[in-house]
Amino acid sequence: MKLRDYLIENFMTEAEFAEKIGTKQPVINRYIHEKTIPRPRLMKKIFETTSGKVSPRDFPSRFKDGKVAKN
């Protein structure tokens, strides 16, 4: 499940989710818009906080020149 879908399903704002995992809202916004992917520590917190509904495979795996690579 995409992080955006999880937030919608759980009636949660980016800011509320950011607080739960110990980061800031702009960071969550970058993940939702696939501008970057979570580092391992935050990936683990996202997985745990969402009870496994959002996992590493739900984020783009390849980046090129700081942007998500098109497949």
Side-chain angles (χ1 to χ4, degrees):
M1 167 181 279
K2 296 282 186 181
L3 181 54
R4 169 179 278 173
D5 297 333
Y6 177 84
L7 297 180
I8 291 168
E9 186 177 285
N10 290 277
F11 306 101
M12 191 178 300
T13 67
E14 292 175 12
E16 290 168 335
F17 188 75
E19 187 174 324
K20 283 184 177 270
I21 67 167
T23 192
K24 298 191 184 286
Q25 179 274 330
V27 173
I28 300 302
N29 187 271
R30 286 193 295 270
Y31 298 159
I32 287 173
H33 290 94
E34 298 183 344
K35 293 181 179 178
T36 187
I37 59 172
R39 293 190 178 211
R41 180 185 67 80
L42 282 180
M43 187 71 78
K44 182 178 179 184
K45 286 188 172 209
I46 290 169
F47 185 81
E48 291 170 349
T49 301
T50 64
S51 300
K53 289 183 179 179
V54 180
S55 70
R57 71 178 174 273
D58 297 314
F59 293 90
S61 59
R62 292 179 283 190
F63 282 79
K64 183 177 181 181
D65 300 328
K67 298 180 181 176
V68 178
K70 304 291 183 202
N71 289 335

